[in-house]
Amino acid sequence: MEKNHLLEFNFKPKFHYIYSMKKLILKYHFFVLGLIGFILNSCNTKFRVWVGTNNEQKIYNLKYGEHKKQKMDVFLPSHYPENSPVVLIVHGGAWKYGRKEHMIQIQKMLFKNNIPSINMNYRPVSTSKKITYREQLSDIYAVIEKFNSLAQKSRTSA
């Protein structure tokens, strides 16, 4: 009989724990959903290419440098003029904070309106890593150079 009593004792704390977690999740559901979204979004750093039915393209996390932050998203609608300008989106954050994912809605709006765009991350200012505005200007230049080199390659191969 002691054996049954031990099993029953071990089961109750587990049930109570699950009940408490459920109660917490229901009480703070916005926080939990936000946390889950943040975790899923922060894991989304792999290079991906999407090609639509009309040959439109979305290229995510294309590297333009060696630093882990030096990535860009390129959205190319299907029917834009060859000589049309491309919008370069540089996220806010006082050059220290933020990331390109904060500007994705603007990039999607441009895409819907047939406007090609580049949404970039840059190296944040850091005194310990000796990253200043000069390196950030260099990042902007590197993005433009990378895009132009890819555009040149696609023109010669077409």
Side-chain angles (χ1 to χ4, degrees):
M1 291 217 172
E2 280 186 44
K3 198 172 192 180
N4 287 340
H5 180 69
L6 287 175
L7 289 174
E8 190 175 313
F9 177 76
N10 286 336
F11 180 71
K12 284 183 181 179
K14 289 179 183 176
F15 176 75
H16 180 67
Y17 174 75
I18 292 169
Y19 177 75
S20 296
M21 287 301 293
K22 186 176 180 181
K23 194 173 176 183
L24 270 173
I25 289 170
L26 289 174
K27 188 173 183 179
Y28 299 105
H29 63 281
F30 287 115
F31 174 75
V32 172
L33 289 174
L35 185 62
I36 290 169
F38 175 76
I39 290 169
L40 291 175
N41 194 21
S42 63
C43 296
N44 190 15
T45 59
K46 293 189 177 185
F47 175 75
R48 295 180 297 139
V49 176
W50 174 85
V51 178
T53 55
N54 291 331
N55 219 16
E56 61 254 9
Q57 298 176 35
K58 293 181 181 178
I59 304 166
Y60 296 92
N61 297 310
L62 177 63
K63 286 184 161 195
Y64 68 87
E66 295 301 315
H67 191 275
K68 66 181 180 179
K69 292 279 190 174
Q70 291 177 309
K71 293 181 181 178
M72 63 181 176
D73 298 342
V74 179
F75 284 21
L76 302 172
S78 57
H79 302 293
Y80 65 93
E82 187 178 316
N83 61 350
S84 71
V86 177
V87 175
L88 176 61
I89 303 168
V90 181
H91 66 80
W95 300 105
K96 290 183 179 184
Y97 314 104
R99 32 188 250 226
K100 64 183 172 60
E101 287 78 13
H102 296 153
M103 305 299 286
I104 191 67
Q105 295 306 322
I106 292 172
Q107 191 171 28
K108 287 179 179 179
M109 183 267 309
L110 292 168
F111 185 77
K112 277 184 182 177
N113 288 289
N114 212 30
I115 301 170
S117 63
I118 303 167
N119 187 7
M120 66 174 285
N121 268 343
Y122 52 82
R123 294 172 286 175
V125 167
S126 170
T127 52
S128 63
K129 296 178 184 175
K130 296 183 180 172
I131 298 175
T132 67
Y133 74 92
R134 287 185 178 98
E135 283 74 23
Q136 292 169 335
L137 290 173
S138 174
D139 285 356
I140 292 170
Y141 181 75
V143 164
I144 294 168
E145 286 294 309
K146 177 77 170 186
F147 181 80
N148 286 339
S149 72
L150 292 173
Q152 187 65 34
K153 284 180 187 176
S154 71
R155 276 190 216 117
T156 57
S157 66

PDB file of all heavy atoms in Angstrom, residues 108-129:
ATOM      1  N   LYS A 108       7.574  45.139 -47.765  1.00  0.00           N
ATOM      2  CA  LYS A 108       6.446  44.440 -48.394  1.00  0.00           C
ATOM      3  C   LYS A 108       5.522  45.412 -49.128  1.00  0.00           C
ATOM      4  O   LYS A 108       5.011  45.099 -50.202  1.00  0.00           O
ATOM      5  CB  LYS A 108       5.655  43.657 -47.338  1.00  0.00           C
ATOM      6  CG  LYS A 108       6.364  42.419 -46.851  1.00  0.00           C
ATOM      7  CD  LYS A 108       5.537  41.698 -45.799  1.00  0.00           C
ATOM      8  CE  LYS A 108       6.232  40.441 -45.323  1.00  0.00           C
ATOM      9  NZ  LYS A 108       5.440  39.741 -44.288  1.00  0.00           N
ATOM     10  N   MET A 109       5.301  46.596 -48.542  1.00  0.00           N
ATOM     11  CA  MET A 109       4.467  47.611 -49.192  1.00  0.00           C
ATOM     12  C   MET A 109       5.102  48.075 -50.496  1.00  0.00           C
ATOM     13  O   MET A 109       4.426  48.211 -51.517  1.00  0.00           O
ATOM     14  CB  MET A 109       4.259  48.788 -48.235  1.00  0.00           C
ATOM     15  CG  MET A 109       3.352  49.890 -48.754  1.00  0.00           C
ATOM     16  SD  MET A 109       4.174  51.254 -49.603  1.00  0.00           S
ATOM     17  CE  MET A 109       5.431  51.743 -48.468  1.00  0.00           C
ATOM     18  N   LEU A 110       6.409  48.296 -50.490  1.00  0.00           N
ATOM     19  CA  LEU A 110       7.106  48.679 -51.724  1.00  0.00           C
ATOM     20  C   LEU A 110       6.983  47.582 -52.776  1.00  0.00           C
ATOM     21  O   LEU A 110       6.736  47.849 -53.955  1.00  0.00           O
ATOM     22  CB  LEU A 110       8.582  48.968 -51.423  1.00  0.00           C
ATOM     23  CG  LEU A 110       8.873  50.212 -50.587  1.00  0.00           C
ATOM     24  CD1 LEU A 110      10.321  50.221 -50.125  1.00  0.00           C
ATOM     25  CD2 LEU A 110       8.552  51.471 -51.361  1.00  0.00           C
ATOM     26  N   PHE A 111       7.131  46.339 -52.363  1.00  0.00           N
ATOM     27  CA  PHE A 111       7.027  45.192 -53.263  1.00  0.00           C
ATOM     28  C   PHE A 111       5.640  45.134 -53.908  1.00  0.00           C
ATOM     29  O   PHE A 111       5.524  44.928 -55.116  1.00  0.00           O
ATOM     30  CB  PHE A 111       7.322  43.906 -52.482  1.00  0.00           C
ATOM     31  CG  PHE A 111       7.356  42.669 -53.327  1.00  0.00           C
ATOM     32  CD1 PHE A 111       8.445  42.382 -54.128  1.00  0.00           C
ATOM     33  CD2 PHE A 111       6.302  41.776 -53.300  1.00  0.00           C
ATOM     34  CE1 PHE A 111       8.486  41.230 -54.898  1.00  0.00           C
ATOM     35  CE2 PHE A 111       6.324  40.621 -54.060  1.00  0.00           C
ATOM     36  CZ  PHE A 111       7.420  40.351 -54.862  1.00  0.00           C
ATOM     37  N   LYS A 112       4.599  45.332 -53.097  1.00  0.00           N
ATOM     38  CA  LYS A 112       3.224  45.325 -53.624  1.00  0.00           C
ATOM     39  C   LYS A 112       3.017  46.425 -54.657  1.00  0.00           C
ATOM     40  O   LYS A 112       2.218  46.283 -55.566  1.00  0.00           O
ATOM     41  CB  LYS A 112       2.218  45.532 -52.492  1.00  0.00           C
ATOM     42  CG  LYS A 112       1.861  44.300 -51.746  1.00  0.00           C
ATOM     43  CD  LYS A 112       0.781  44.626 -50.731  1.00  0.00           C
ATOM     44  CE  LYS A 112       0.429  43.421 -49.911  1.00  0.00           C
ATOM     45  NZ  LYS A 112      -0.571  43.749 -48.881  1.00  0.00           N
ATOM     46  N   ASN A 113       3.734  47.532 -54.500  1.00  0.00           N
ATOM     47  CA  ASN A 113       3.607  48.659 -55.418  1.00  0.00           C
ATOM     48  C   ASN A 113       4.656  48.627 -56.531  1.00  0.00           C
ATOM     49  O   ASN A 113       4.944  49.655 -57.142  1.00  0.00           O
ATOM     50  CB  ASN A 113       3.665  49.974 -54.642  1.00  0.00           C
ATOM     51  CG  ASN A 113       2.411  50.192 -53.843  1.00  0.00           C
ATOM     52  OD1 ASN A 113       1.361  50.461 -54.406  1.00  0.00           O
ATOM     53  ND2 ASN A 113       2.494  50.032 -52.531  1.00  0.00           N
ATOM     54  N   ASN A 114       5.233  47.443 -56.760  1.00  0.00           N
ATOM     55  CA  ASN A 114       6.147  47.216 -57.873  1.00  0.00           C
ATOM     56  C   ASN A 114       7.431  48.038 -57.787  1.00  0.00           C
ATOM     57  O   ASN A 114       7.967  48.493 -58.798  1.00  0.00           O
ATOM     58  CB  ASN A 114       5.413  47.480 -59.196  1.00  0.00           C
ATOM     59  CG  ASN A 114       5.930  46.609 -60.305  1.00  0.00           C
ATOM     60  OD1 ASN A 114       6.382  45.492 -60.062  1.00  0.00           O
ATOM     61  ND2 ASN A 114       5.899  47.113 -61.520  1.00  0.00           N
ATOM     62  N   ILE A 115       7.917  48.248 -56.564  1.00  0.00           N
ATOM     63  CA  ILE A 115       9.144  49.019 -56.346  1.00  0.00           C
ATOM     64  C   ILE A 115      10.206  48.091 -55.760  1.00  0.00           C
ATOM     65  O   ILE A 115      10.020  47.538 -54.680  1.00  0.00           O
ATOM     66  CB  ILE A 115       8.892  50.204 -55.388  1.00  0.00           C
ATOM     67  CG1 ILE A 115       7.808  51.131 -55.981  1.00  0.00           C
ATOM     68  CG2 ILE A 115      10.179  50.957 -55.097  1.00  0.00           C
ATOM     69  CD1 ILE A 115       7.312  52.181 -55.011  1.00  0.00           C
ATOM     70  N   PRO A 116      11.325  47.900 -56.453  1.00  0.00           N
ATOM     71  CA  PRO A 116      12.389  47.049 -55.913  1.00  0.00           C
ATOM     72  C   PRO A 116      13.038  47.694 -54.684  1.00  0.00           C
ATOM     73  O   PRO A 116      13.156  48.926 -54.606  1.00  0.00           O
ATOM     74  CB  PRO A 116      13.389  46.928 -57.067  1.00  0.00           C
ATOM     75  CG  PRO A 116      13.030  47.992 -58.031  1.00  0.00           C
ATOM     76  CD  PRO A 116      11.636  48.438 -57.761  1.00  0.00           C
ATOM     77  N   SER A 117      13.454  46.864 -53.728  1.00  0.00           N
ATOM     78  CA  SER A 117      14.036  47.415 -52.503  1.00  0.00           C
ATOM     79  C   SER A 117      15.069  46.480 -51.895  1.00  0.00           C
ATOM     80  O   SER A 117      15.070  45.276 -52.140  1.00  0.00           O
ATOM     81  CB  SER A 117      12.938  47.698 -51.478  1.00  0.00           C
ATOM     82  OG  SER A 117      12.301  46.493 -51.103  1.00  0.00           O
ATOM     83  N   ILE A 118      15.927  47.092 -51.099  1.00  0.00           N
ATOM     84  CA  ILE A 118      16.938  46.381 -50.312  1.00  0.00           C
ATOM     85  C   ILE A 118      16.746  46.823 -48.866  1.00  0.00           C
ATOM     86  O   ILE A 118      16.656  48.008 -48.583  1.00  0.00           O
ATOM     87  CB  ILE A 118      18.374  46.749 -50.744  1.00  0.00           C
ATOM     88  CG1 ILE A 118      18.587  46.465 -52.221  1.00  0.00           C
ATOM     89  CG2 ILE A 118      19.397  46.030 -49.889  1.00  0.00           C
ATOM     90  CD1 ILE A 118      19.854  47.089 -52.772  1.00  0.00           C
ATOM     91  N   ASN A 119      16.666  45.862 -47.964  1.00  0.00           N
ATOM     92  CA  ASN A 119      16.509  46.127 -46.540  1.00  0.00           C
ATOM     93  C   ASN A 119      17.744  45.555 -45.858  1.00  0.00           C
ATOM     94  O   ASN A 119      17.985  44.362 -45.929  1.00  0.00           O
ATOM     95  CB  ASN A 119      15.223  45.456 -46.044  1.00  0.00           C
ATOM     96  CG  ASN A 119      14.868  45.806 -44.636  1.00  0.00           C
ATOM     97  OD1 ASN A 119      15.483  46.657 -44.009  1.00  0.00           O
ATOM     98  ND2 ASN A 119      13.861  45.125 -44.119  1.00  0.00           N
ATOM     99  N   MET A 120      18.546  46.413 -45.226  1.00  0.00           N
ATOM    100  CA  MET A 120      19.866  45.963 -44.759  1.00  0.00           C
ATOM    101  C   MET A 120      20.025  46.020 -43.243  1.00  0.00           C
ATOM    102  O   MET A 120      19.420  46.855 -42.571  1.00  0.00           O
ATOM    103  CB  MET A 120      20.959  46.810 -45.392  1.00  0.00           C
ATOM    104  CG  MET A 120      20.956  48.264 -44.947  1.00  0.00           C
ATOM    105  SD  MET A 120      22.348  49.216 -45.573  1.00  0.00           S
ATOM    106  CE  MET A 120      23.683  48.639 -44.562  1.00  0.00           C
ATOM    107  N   ASN A 121      20.836  45.124 -42.730  1.00  0.00           N
ATOM    108  CA  ASN A 121      21.381  45.232 -41.381  1.00  0.00           C
ATOM    109  C   ASN A 121      22.776  45.822 -41.512  1.00  0.00           C
ATOM    110  O   ASN A 121      23.410  45.720 -42.565  1.00  0.00           O
ATOM    111  CB  ASN A 121      21.491  43.865 -40.711  1.00  0.00           C
ATOM    112  CG  ASN A 121      20.259  43.512 -39.916  1.00  0.00           C
ATOM    113  OD1 ASN A 121      19.435  44.360 -39.593  1.00  0.00           O
ATOM    114  ND2 ASN A 121      20.125  42.243 -39.608  1.00  0.00           N
ATOM    115  N   TYR A 122      23.254  46.425 -40.460  1.00  0.00           N
ATOM    116  CA  TYR A 122      24.605  46.993 -40.455  1.00  0.00           C
ATOM    117  C   TYR A 122      25.244  46.699 -39.109  1.00  0.00           C
ATOM    118  O   TYR A 122      24.570  46.336 -38.150  1.00  0.00           O
ATOM    119  CB  TYR A 122      24.566  48.507 -40.719  1.00  0.00           C
ATOM    120  CG  TYR A 122      23.617  49.258 -39.819  1.00  0.00           C
ATOM    121  CD1 TYR A 122      23.990  49.636 -38.525  1.00  0.00           C
ATOM    122  CD2 TYR A 122      22.341  49.580 -40.254  1.00  0.00           C
ATOM    123  CE1 TYR A 122      23.105  50.307 -37.700  1.00  0.00           C
ATOM    124  CE2 TYR A 122      21.454  50.260 -39.436  1.00  0.00           C
ATOM    125  CZ  TYR A 122      21.846  50.615 -38.152  1.00  0.00           C
ATOM    126  OH  TYR A 122      20.966  51.278 -37.344  1.00  0.00           O
ATOM    127  N   ARG A 123      26.549  46.846 -39.066  1.00  0.00           N
ATOM    128  CA  ARG A 123      27.265  46.642 -37.801  1.00  0.00           C
ATOM    129  C   ARG A 123      26.932  47.792 -36.854  1.00  0.00           C
ATOM    130  O   ARG A 123      27.085  48.960 -37.216  1.00  0.00           O
ATOM    131  CB  ARG A 123      28.771  46.585 -38.046  1.00  0.00           C
ATOM    132  CG  ARG A 123      29.189  45.376 -38.869  1.00  0.00           C
ATOM    133  CD  ARG A 123      30.632  45.444 -39.263  1.00  0.00           C
ATOM    134  NE  ARG A 123      30.796  46.453 -40.319  1.00  0.00           N
ATOM    135  CZ  ARG A 123      31.953  46.817 -40.823  1.00  0.00           C
ATOM    136  NH1 ARG A 123      33.070  46.286 -40.359  1.00  0.00           N
ATOM    137  NH2 ARG A 123      32.016  47.721 -41.779  1.00  0.00           N
ATOM    138  N   PRO A 124      26.471  47.483 -35.641  1.00  0.00           N
ATOM    139  CA  PRO A 124      26.141  48.566 -34.701  1.00  0.00           C
ATOM    140  C   PRO A 124      27.388  49.234 -34.138  1.00  0.00           C
ATOM    141  O   PRO A 124      28.445  48.612 -34.031  1.00  0.00           O
ATOM    142  CB  PRO A 124      25.354  47.855 -33.602  1.00  0.00           C
ATOM    143  CG  PRO A 124      25.789  46.433 -33.673  1.00  0.00           C
ATOM    144  CD  PRO A 124      26.160  46.173 -35.108  1.00  0.00           C
ATOM    145  N   VAL A 125      27.245  50.510 -33.775  1.00  0.00           N
ATOM    146  CA  VAL A 125      28.354  51.255 -33.164  1.00  0.00           C
ATOM    147  C   VAL A 125      28.797  50.534 -31.899  1.00  0.00           C
ATOM    148  O   VAL A 125      27.981  50.103 -31.099  1.00  0.00           O
ATOM    149  CB  VAL A 125      27.926  52.704 -32.818  1.00  0.00           C
ATOM    150  CG1 VAL A 125      28.931  53.375 -31.912  1.00  0.00           C
ATOM    151  CG2 VAL A 125      27.730  53.508 -34.075  1.00  0.00           C
ATOM    152  N   SER A 126      30.101  50.393 -31.745  1.00  0.00           N
ATOM    153  CA  SER A 126      30.654  49.737 -30.564  1.00  0.00           C
ATOM    154  C   SER A 126      32.057  50.281 -30.318  1.00  0.00           C
ATOM    155  O   SER A 126      32.929  50.160 -31.185  1.00  0.00           O
ATOM    156  CB  SER A 126      30.709  48.225 -30.786  1.00  0.00           C
ATOM    157  OG  SER A 126      31.436  47.598 -29.756  1.00  0.00           O
ATOM    158  N   THR A 127      32.255  50.870 -29.157  1.00  0.00           N
ATOM    159  CA  THR A 127      33.596  51.380 -28.840  1.00  0.00           C
ATOM    160  C   THR A 127      34.557  50.231 -28.568  1.00  0.00           C
ATOM    161  O   THR A 127      35.721  50.309 -28.939  1.00  0.00           O
ATOM    162  CB  THR A 127      33.557  52.329 -27.616  1.00  0.00           C
ATOM    163  OG1 THR A 127      32.884  51.677 -26.542  1.00  0.00           O
ATOM    164  CG2 THR A 127      32.831  53.612 -27.954  1.00  0.00           C
ATOM    165  N   SER A 128      34.063  49.148 -27.957  1.00  0.00           N
ATOM    166  CA  SER A 128      34.948  48.019 -27.661  1.00  0.00           C
ATOM    167  C   SER A 128      35.396  47.298 -28.933  1.00  0.00           C
ATOM    168  O   SER A 128      36.508  46.795 -29.003  1.00  0.00           O
ATOM    169  CB  SER A 128      34.272  47.038 -26.708  1.00  0.00           C
ATOM    170  OG  SER A 128      33.134  46.479 -27.316  1.00  0.00           O
ATOM    171  N   LYS A 129      34.524  47.248 -29.948  1.00  0.00           N
ATOM    172  CA  LYS A 129      34.873  46.594 -31.214  1.00  0.00           C
ATOM    173  C   LYS A 129      35.383  47.581 -32.250  1.00  0.00           C
ATOM    174  O   LYS A 129      35.627  47.220 -33.394  1.00  0.00           O
ATOM    175  CB  LYS A 129      33.657  45.839 -31.752  1.00  0.00           C
ATOM    176  CG  LYS A 129      33.224  44.710 -30.846  1.00  0.00           C
ATOM    177  CD  LYS A 129      31.998  44.029 -31.380  1.00  0.00           C
ATOM    178  CE  LYS A 129      31.537  42.963 -30.408  1.00  0.00           C
ATOM    179  NZ  LYS A 129      30.295  42.337 -30.804  1.00  0.00           N
TER     180      LYS A 129
END
